[in-house]
C-alpha cells in the first residue's frame, strides 16, 4: 500500500485512455479519449482507476462463473483515502459501488453493472501487535496466518480455504471448525475501519459507533466498505492430531458431533458426507486435537462410536492450509474454473437429521457434479454474538454446505440453482435459513425474512450510512 502522502493526480490509466469523470448528463464515464479536456473532475488518487478490459472482465466475473455484470471502472486504491474519495464521488454522481476482496462469491455478490468496483487487494498491510493483528481489508487469511504464526499467534477461527480476504469474510461471517469454541470470524474482530456509503472514513468497535460495527459485520457490504480490521489473535498450537472418524449412519454422525461440540473436546470439529458409486453415503467427522500425542487417542476417541478412524499428524500451518493441495488438483482437472452453484444452509439442530435425510436422494451425481463437497457440522448458538449472522433459533445450527460444480455432463447451473432454492424452501419451512453466500435466488422479501428481528436495525443503519443506496447492489437486499 502506498503512503497517503504521495498523492498524485493519476486518475486512471487504461489501454491508452485516462478516466476523467462522469458525464453529468449521460452518467457514463468520461475518458480522455472521449473528452480530451483537463483532468479536473475526479479526486486526486494515490492509486489508479482502471477502465481496461482486463480489469473490467475480472470484476465482471467471480468464482461462481454464473453471473456477469460489467462495471464501468475498477478502483485499485493506493490508500484508504482513495476509497473514501471515490465513494463520495460516486454518491455525488449516483454511481453504484461494490467492494471486492478475492472475488470468491459465486453469484455476482461483488459485481455492479455499470458502476465502480473497488478492488481491495492493494490494501494488504499486516501488523502483528501481540494479541491482535491490524490488517488492510484486502489481506488474505493465508497471508495473515503466515504473519501471525511467525509471532507464535493465530486468528481463533479460520475458513476452510485461506485464499479469501479479511474484508470479504467479515462482510459475511467467516465460519470454520473452530466456531464451536470461538464463534465466527466476525465475533473475533476488535475494531473495523470503514468507509460508509457517504464516503466517510471512520472507525467502529463494540464501544465506538456500535450500530455501524453491528451493521458492517455480516452486513454483506450494505452500509460500508471495510478498509481495515483489528483481529484478535491467540497463541498458536504447535501441532495437530487429526481424526477422520467414519460413522455408520447420519444420525450417529450428528449425535457424536452434538456431543463433541457441547463438550469442547476438540479444538476443531467439522464433518462431511460423500456419495459412494452405489448411491450410498459415507459420514465422516473431522475432529482435531491441538498438541495431542498418540497416547491420547483412546481418551479422545474411545467413546465416539465410529466404525473406522484415520489418524494423522500435521503441522498447524499445513492443517490450516489443507485445502491448498486439493485446489491444485481441482485446477488440473478444470473443476476449479467451472460454475459453482453452491448453497450453505443453516439447519435447526433438532431437524437436521430429517432435513439431510430428505435431501440426500436429491444429491444425484447430475445435480452435484464431479467434485462436489458436502459439509455438515454444528455451530453452537451460544458462541455467535453477531446480530446479522442469522443462525436457527436453537441450541445448535448445522451448517449444511452443498458445494456443487456444474461439470461437463452434469446439470446446468440453472438447474442446480433451482435445486438450491428447493432446499432452501425446505429448510426455511423447518425453521432454518442460510449462510448468505452461495447461489440462491433471493427476493427482497426473502432478505427481510432472513434477517428477521435484526432487520429494523439493519434497515436503520442502511438509511443512516448509505442513504443514497449505492453500496453492493449485487446482494439484492435493498
Ligand atoms: C473455495 C471456497 C471456500 C470457502 N470456504 C469458506 C469457509 O470455510 N467458511 C466461510 O465462512 N466461507 C467460505 N467461503 C465463502 C466465502 O467466505 C465468501 O465467498 C467470501 O465472501 C469470499 O471472500 P472474498 O474476499 O472472495 O469476497 P468477495 O467475493 O470479493 O466479496 C464478497 C461480498 O462481500 C463484499 N465485500 C468484499 N470485500 C468487502 C469489504 N472489504 N468491505 C465490504 N464489503 C466487501 C462484496 O461486495 C461481496 O458482496 C468459501 C468460498 C470459496 C470459494
Amino acid at each position: 500500500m502506498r503512503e497517503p502522502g504521495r498523492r498524485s493526480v493519476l486518475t486512471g490509466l487504461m489501454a491508452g485512455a485516462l478516466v476523467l469523470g462522469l458525464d453529468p448528463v449521460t452518467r457514463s464515464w468520461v475518458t480522455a479519449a472521449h473528452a480530451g479536456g483537463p483532468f479536473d473532475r475526479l479526486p486526486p488518487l494515490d492509486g489508479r482507476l482502471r477502465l481496461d478490459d482486463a480489469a473490467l472482465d475480472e470484476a465482471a466475473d467471480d468464482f461462481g462463473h454464473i453471473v456477469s455484470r460489467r462495471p464501468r471502472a475498477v478502483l485499485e486504491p493506493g490508500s484508504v483515502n482513495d476509497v473514501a474519495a471515490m465513494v463520495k464521488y460516486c454518491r455525488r454522481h449516483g454511481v453504484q459501488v461494490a467492494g471486492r476482496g478475492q472475488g470468491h462469491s459465486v453469484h455476482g455478490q461483488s459485481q455492479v453493472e455499470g458502476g465502480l468496483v473497488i478492488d481491495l487487494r492493494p490494501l494488504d498491510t499486516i501488523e502483528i501487535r501481540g494479541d491482535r493483528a491490524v490488517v488492510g481489508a484486502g489481506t488474505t487469511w493465508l497471508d495473515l496466518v503466515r504473519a501471525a504464526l511467525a509471532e507464535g499467534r493465530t486468528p481463533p477461527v479460520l475458513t476452510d480455504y485461506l485464499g479469501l480476504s479479511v474484508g470479504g469474510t467479515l462482510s459475511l461471517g467467516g465460519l470454520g471448525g473452530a466456531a464451536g469454541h470461538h464463534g465466527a470470524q466476525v465475533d473475533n474482530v476488535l475494531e473495523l475501519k470503514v468507509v460508509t456509503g457517504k464516503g466517510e472514513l471512520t472507525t467502529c468497535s463494540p464501544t465506538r459507533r456500535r450500530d455501524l460495527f453491528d451493521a458492517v459485520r455480516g452486513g454483506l457490504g450494505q452500509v460500508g466498505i471495510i478498509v481495515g480490521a483489528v483481529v484478535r489473535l491467540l497463541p498458536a498450537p504447535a501441532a495437530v492430531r487429526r481424526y477422520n472418524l467414519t460413522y455408520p449412519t447420519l444420525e450417529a454422525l450428528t449425535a457424536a458431533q452434538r456431543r463433541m461440540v457441547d463438550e469442547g473436546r476438540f479444538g476443531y470439529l467439522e464433518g462431511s458426507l460423500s456419495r459412494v458409486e452405489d448411491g450410498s453415503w459415507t459420514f465422516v467427522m473431522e475432529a482435531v486435537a491441538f498438541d495431542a500425542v498418540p497416547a491420547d487417542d483412546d481418551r479422545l476417541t474411545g467413546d465416539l462410536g465410529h466404525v473406522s478412524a484415520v489418524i494423522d499428524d500435521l503441522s498447524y500451518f499445513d492443517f490450516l492450509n489443507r485445502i491448498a493441495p486439493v485446489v491444485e488438483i481441482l485446477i488440473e482437472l478444470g473443476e476449479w474454473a467451472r460454475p459453482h452453484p453452491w448453497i450453505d444452509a443453516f439447519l435447526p439442530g433438532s431437524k437436521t437429521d430429517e432435513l439431510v435425510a430428505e435431501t440426500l436422494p436429491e444429491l444425484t451425481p447430475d445435480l452435484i457434479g464431479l467434485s462436489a463437497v458436502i459439509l455438515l457440522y454444528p455451530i453452537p448458538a451460544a458462541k455467535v454474538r453477531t446480530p446479522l449472522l442469522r443462525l436457527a433459533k436453537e441450541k445448535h445450527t448445522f451448517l449444511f454446505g452443498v458445494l456443487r460444480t456444474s461439470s461437463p455432463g452434469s446439470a446446468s447451473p440453472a438447474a442446480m440453482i433451482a435445486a438450491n432454492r428447493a432446499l432452501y424452501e425446505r429448510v426455511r419451512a423447518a425453521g432454518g435459513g442460510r449462510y448468505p453466500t452461495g447461489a440462491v435466488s433471493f427476493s427482497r422479501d426473502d432478505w427481510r425474512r432472513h434477517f428477521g428481528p435484526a432487520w429494523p436495525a439493519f434497515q436503520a443503519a442502511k438509511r443512516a450510512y448509505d442513504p443514497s443506496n449505492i453500496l453492493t447492489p449485487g446482494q439484492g437486499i435493498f
Side-chain angles (χ1 to χ4, degrees):
M1 188 165 33
R2 276 204 276 157
E3 288 305 310
R6 292 170 54 201
R7 296 179 79 80
S8 73
V9 286
L10 177 64
T11 52
L13 186 56
M14 312 79 59
L18 284 168
V19 185
L20 300 182
L22 273 177
D23 183 302
V25 179
T26 64
R27 293 239 181 273
S28 60
W29 295 93
V30 177
T31 67
H34 298 133
F39 304 167
D40 60 356
R41 299 237 199 128
L42 281 180
L45 297 175
D46 299 311
R48 62 179 183 158
L49 196 69
R50 292 181 59 181
L51 278 191
D52 55 288
D53 280 340
L56 301 187
D57 289 351
E58 186 183 27
D61 194 11
D62 57 31
F63 184 75
H65 311 302
I66 298 165
V67 170
S68 176
R69 302 189 193 102
R70 201 171 163 85
R72 283 263 167 73
V74 174
L75 173 67
E76 287 179 358
S79 65
V80 297
N81 294 330
D82 281 0
V83 178
M86 281 308 298
V87 171
K88 212 173 274 173
Y89 180 89
C90 285
R91 184 182 179 213
R92 209 165 46 239
H93 295 283
V95 174
Q96 293 183 305
V97 179
R100 177 183 162 103
Q102 290 292 318
H104 278 68
S105 304
V106 298
H107 207 216
Q109 286 93 335
S110 63
Q111 300 177 21
V112 49
E113 183 75 45
L116 176 73
V117 166
I118 301 182
D119 176 353
L120 289 142
R121 287 174 299 187
L123 302 184
D124 62 353
T125 48
I126 304 175
E127 270 178 69
I128 305 298
R129 297 187 191 159
D131 63 356
R132 59 197 56 202
V134 182
V135 299
T139 303
T140 62
W141 288 99
L142 178 62
D143 286 342
L144 175 52
V145 160
R146 284 204 173 102
L149 285 182
E151 305 292 327
R153 299 264 164 182
T154 180
V157 186
L158 287 151
T159 49
D160 297 341
Y161 173 61
L162 297 179
L164 309 168
S165 75
V166 169
T169 68
L170 293 181
S171 298
L172 180 69
L175 294 170
H181 284 278
H182 304 293
Q185 289 177 328
V186 280
D187 297 308
N188 293 280
V189 60
L190 303 172
E191 190 177 283
L192 289 171
K193 197 170 268 184
V194 172
V195 171
T196 69
K198 293 175 172 175
E200 181 198 5
L201 175 61
T202 186
T203 301
C204 57
S205 72
T207 55
R208 195 168 161 191
R209 301 185 89 165
R210 178 72 195 239
D211 64 327
L212 180 61
F213 190 63
D214 283 347
V216 171
R217 289 178 306 142
L220 304 172
Q222 296 304 301
V223 302
I225 306 283
I226 300 169
V227 290
V230 182
V231 177
R232 194 163 79 92
L233 298 178
L234 298 176
V240 161
R241 195 157 170 83
R242 177 170 62 183
Y243 302 89
N244 277 308
L245 308 176
T246 299
Y247 285 84
T249 62
L250 170 67
E251 294 74 15
L253 167 68
T254 58
Q257 287 178 314
R258 280 189 193 90
R259 190 152 71 85
M260 286 305 97
V261 81
D262 286 348
E263 194 183 299
R265 191 184 297 181
F266 296 98
Y268 163 105
L269 188 81
E270 289 199 5
S272 61
L273 280 52
S274 310
R275 199 172 196 284
V276 185
E277 262 179 31
D278 66 4
S280 63
W281 289 82
T282 56
F283 307 99
V284 173
M285 179 162 83
E286 187 187 21
V288 160
F290 297 129
D291 295 328
V293 292
D296 294 330
D297 290 351
D298 197 44
R299 178 180 60 79
L300 286 168
T301 65
D303 61 349
L304 291 184
H306 50 285
V307 289
S308 64
V310 176
I311 303 172
D312 55 353
D313 292 311
L314 297 87
S315 73
Y316 182 62
F317 177 79
D318 285 346
F319 166 66
L320 294 181
N321 201 31
R322 64 198 174 279
I323 303 297
V326 180
V327 170
E328 291 302 313
I329 294 168
L330 293 174
I331 290 171
E332 252 175 61
L333 292 174
E335 288 285 276
W336 193 249
R338 295 194 174 121
H340 296 107
W342 290 5
I343 177 171
D344 286 288
F346 276 162
L347 313 183
S350 65
K351 306 270 177 56
T352 291
D353 293 353
E354 66 190 71
L355 284 167
V356 175
E358 267 182 73
T359 306
L360 287 186
E362 296 165 6
L363 303 184
T364 56
D366 184 47
L367 276 171
I368 58 177
L370 289 176
S371 55
V373 175
I374 315 293
L375 293 172
L376 185 68
Y377 63 88
I379 301 161
K383 300 291 179 182
V384 174
R385 300 168 304 281
T386 298
L388 291 182
L389 190 50
R390 307 304 301 166
L391 299 182
K393 294 181 210 75
E394 290 197 3
K395 183 179 178 195
H396 301 123
T397 292
F398 275 72
L399 180 124
F400 182 36
V402 180
L403 312 184
R404 312 175 199 258
T405 302
S406 183
S407 314
S410 57
S412 65
M416 292 182 176
I417 290 171
N420 287 346
R421 180 70 203 193
L423 171 57
Y424 170 72
E425 299 280 357
R426 175 182 292 150
V427 170
R428 188 173 68 183
R434 63 182 274 240
Y435 185 42
T437 176
V440 184
S441 303
F442 234 51
S443 68
R444 286 184 165 72
D445 280 347
D446 288 327
W447 280 116
R448 216 162 288 146
R449 259 196 301 264
H450 168 87
F451 286 108
W455 176 257
F458 193 29
Q459 198 177 27
K462 180 73 174 174
R463 285 202 194 104
Y465 295 110
D466 181 24
S468 305
N469 192 15
I470 59 167
L471 290 182
T472 322
Q475 297 279 6
I477 300 175
F478 289 101

